[in-house]
Amino acid sequence: MIKINDLGFYYKTDEWLFRDITFDIQQGDIVTILGPNGRGKTTFLKCLTGINKAKLGDVLLEGKAGFVPQLSTPPFGFSVLDIVLMGTSQSHSIFETISDENIDNARYWLKRVGMVHLEDKDFADLSGGQKQMVLIARALCYGRDVLILDEPSSALDLANQKKLLDLLNDISSDGTTIIMTTHFPNHALRVAHKTLMLFGDREFVFGDTKEVVNEDNLSKLFETKIKCVDYNLNGVFGSFAIPL
């Protein structure tokens, strides 16, 4: 689905954010990119989407991709349904009448993210968490082979973080590949099949989340002591990370 070959990027010559990153992502994988602020997580996503041209290496991405950046509000008033329908604009002329099929598809994805009851509301009037869910629906409405998310949980409370993670699990099961940045190791531990940890320049770790998201790597990445605790809740096994 996605092949990343010797990827590297810098803003100032020879001050690399990352380089020599090589790995493959399979269809249906959920991949998290972990790291503190300023480590290059968003830049890495922009290299995947082609917004930023990599200084080194290349990316082969099969299929259509939907990109959800960090929150932004358009300067003009649009309804929630209008915002989601914009996800079809890359495959239609701006002068073309939106079909009933497109409207039904937009409503389907609004329902999947729990926002269909708000379809007539002004997007600008929504909470940050509601806006994030609507933008995810828009991305899925256009391209759902690969969904690329930049800090999707940053504006969400705990209940909506759970809804988001459950949604990502669901659409991954449908075959959508998901790549997202996050500050939260517990989100990686909850849903991610693979995780990339960016330490800087040539130093990174990529692999199965259960193997690479461990106490040593997390403590080094966030420069504070972190403990990983295993749990068993009614037969559901997992682990979570806490700073000490």
Side-chain angles (χ1 to χ4, degrees):
M1 176 61 70
I2 302 173
K3 293 184 179 293
I4 297 165
N5 301 305
D6 294 326
L7 198 66
F9 189 88
Y10 58 77
Y11 289 104
K12 294 183 179 181
T13 304
D14 292 332
E15 293 183 14
W16 294 88
L17 280 174
F18 52 82
R19 57 176 160 170
D20 299 335
I21 295 181
T22 297
F23 59 84
D24 294 347
I25 300 172
Q26 304 303 316
Q27 182 178 0
D29 277 350
I30 300 177
V31 178
T32 49
I33 303 171
L34 273 176
N37 289 329
R39 196 55 59 84
K41 300 187 303 299
T42 297
T43 300
F44 187 87
L45 292 189
K46 289 181 177 180
C47 288
L48 295 188
T49 59
I51 295 173
N52 284 355
K53 181 174 175 56
K55 305 295 186 182
L56 179 71
D58 54 45
V59 176
L60 174 63
L61 190 155
E62 298 177 1
K64 294 186 295 184
F67 178 53
V68 182
Q70 296 186 37
L71 275 179
S72 61
T73 299
F76 304 105
F78 292 98
S79 73
V80 166
L81 184 60
D82 288 337
I83 291 291
V84 177
L85 285 168
M86 290 176 187
T88 67
S89 63
Q90 296 184 49
S91 56
H92 295 82
S93 164
I94 61 173
F95 302 108
E96 184 177 345
T97 301
I98 300 297
S99 69
D100 290 341
E101 181 182 358
N102 287 332
I103 293 172
D104 289 343
N105 189 43
R107 285 180 172 143
Y108 168 80
W109 284 109
L110 279 172
K111 185 176 181 179
R112 286 288 298 268
V113 302
M115 295 289 116
V116 71
H117 62 293
L118 299 177
E119 68 172 62
D120 294 323
K121 285 188 68 69
D122 191 317
F123 179 76
D125 292 336
L126 302 185
S127 70
Q130 289 170 333
K131 288 178 181 177
Q132 195 71 55
M133 289 301 207
V134 171
L135 293 176
I136 290 171
R138 180 177 69 176
L140 290 165
C141 195
Y142 167 63
R144 59 180 310 258
D145 298 309
V146 181
L147 181 62
I148 299 175
L149 304 160
D150 191 10
E151 300 286 353
S153 60
S154 60
L156 303 182
D157 59 26
L158 287 176
N160 281 311
Q161 287 180 31
K162 180 184 183 302
K163 289 179 182 178
L164 172 67
L165 297 177
D166 289 344
L167 172 68
L168 297 181
N169 261 330
D170 286 346
I171 60 179
S172 167
S173 298
D174 293 341
T176 300
T177 304
I178 298 164
I179 307 170
M180 69 173 185
T181 61
T182 182
H183 290 114
F184 303 116
N186 291 328
H187 291 179
L189 290 166
R190 169 82 186 281
V191 298
H193 304 107
K194 307 283 186 179
T195 294
L196 171 66
M197 304 175 79
L198 295 173
F199 295 100
D201 198 350
R202 282 191 172 96
E203 193 172 3
F204 70 94
V205 174
F206 177 82
D208 292 341
T209 298
K210 292 180 180 179
E211 295 180 4
V212 303
V213 183
N214 56 46
E215 293 176 358
D216 289 342
N217 284 336
L218 289 173
S219 297
K220 179 179 179 181
L221 186 67
F222 293 104
E223 298 180 349
T224 189
K225 181 65 176 176
I226 292 178
K227 177 73 174 177
C228 291
V229 180
D230 295 330
Y231 63 83
N232 176 3
L233 296 176
N234 299 321
V236 178
F237 295 88
S239 62
F240 62 91
I242 53 174
L244 298 179

